[in-house]
Amino acid sequence: MIDFTALAQKYDTPLYVYDFDAMQVQYEALKTAFKGRKSMVAYAIKANSNLSVIKHFATLGAGADCVSIGEVRRALRAGIASYKIIFSGVGKRDDEIREALESNILYINVESDGELERVEQIAAIVGTVARISIRVNPNIDPKTHPYISTGLHDNKFGVDINSAKRMYLRAKNSEYLDPVGIHFHIGSQLTELEPIREAAVIVADLVRSLQTVNIDLKFFDIGGGLGIRYRDEATISPYDYAQAILSTLTALELTVICEPGRFLTANAGYFLTRVLYEKVNEQKRFVIVDGAMNDLLRPSLYGAYHYIEAVGKPDGEGTPADVVGPVCESGDFLAKDYVLAPLKHQDLLVVHSAGAYGFGMGSNYNTRGRSAEVAVTQGKDRLIRSRESFEDLIALETPYLKS
Ligand SMILES: *Cc1c(COP(=O)(O)O)cnc(C)c1O
């Protein structure tokens, strides 16, 4: 058990706390599920890009899935070997492609014809052969929130099966492109297995059809998206997930790569915030806290639910309240109509499942410094990112301040 009260006292609030042991349990569960098959767990850095978090996964043997050159640099800085790094994303700048090629990463996930052409041209300039994979959009409804669904045709990600085939042929015939993998990622927070299996069937069939034209891929990249329990969702077990994927790969000698983000870090993270005051308007109860949408955006952005623990208070007893922050937006809330015991100044709330898409989606809106981040490993806590000071926030503006 993590002593949240002690951590809030030591590091102040708002604060992110990550249980590194819980992250390891998740990593190992997934890695073990693919036992017997060549596989790599490539941590999706965008879920939580703190260098110490990435380093923790690097130590466990993970690779990295990156969606900007900044994330590639983070992965390298944190000690992930270049040959375990994948660069994904629908829009890559020329300089990002160039640096990825010069860094000799495992492959670039290509998402359009235009990108394939840029990668080829830049590889020619650099004088290298670009290892690529193509992100296929299998047009499967993942049955998740529309904002985090990515595998349908009305969505900006990936290319359809026929375009992919044409692009693979083109890559095969280019002296600067080496098609080594195939990739799909149908959405995030997936809690149903069937759409994943259907997508894998479609993509595995494409792999077989490419073999008939002598394109032999090595990597079958199934993306991320494995859902977690925020409230009472039924989730997919790593074992069932792996079995569903592997069942579609009979007679294919492919290394399976998965790119989990949320699954590895979400439930290992907690967001700590203190109550400033309670306020009652007409019939409505507000609990005003020192954490806000600039710290944890998911409730505002997706209407996401997070379990909130009021430390030292009875759980599930009390009256409904909106838990809101100090930011000047009506959309600034951490919970709506959430049943909480009566609270007073300085009471501590712990927002659970905050380890993924928490700190990373943070901003400095309202000139609020971002929270500090703390890691807990085997009962020992350590700071892994300092709280931002006012001076940090204005550092890039002050050189231009005219007297
Ligand atoms: C966001 C993303 C992931 C990780 O998604 P999770 O839902 O956090 O597992 C993996 N791969 C790609 C290409 C992504 O864009």
Side-chain angles (χ1 to χ4, degrees), residues 129-182:
V129 178
R131 284 181 297 276
I132 59 133
S133 134
I134 291 171
R135 177 164 178 175
V136 177
N137 186 334
N139 201 27
I140 297 284
D141 181 357
K143 308 203 170 66
T144 185
H145 192 289
Y147 280 19
I148 49 180
S149 154
T150 57
L152 283 165
H153 279 165
D154 56 358
N155 190 290
K156 72 176 175 181
F157 298 101
V159 300
D160 61 72
I161 295 283
N162 289 327
S163 306
K165 222 179 217 170
R166 187 170 38 69
M167 287 163 71
Y168 275 113
L169 286 168
R170 160 147 191 213
K172 180 185 154 58
N173 292 324
S174 163
E175 58 181 308
Y176 299 109
L177 297 171
D178 181 14
V180 297
I182 194 159

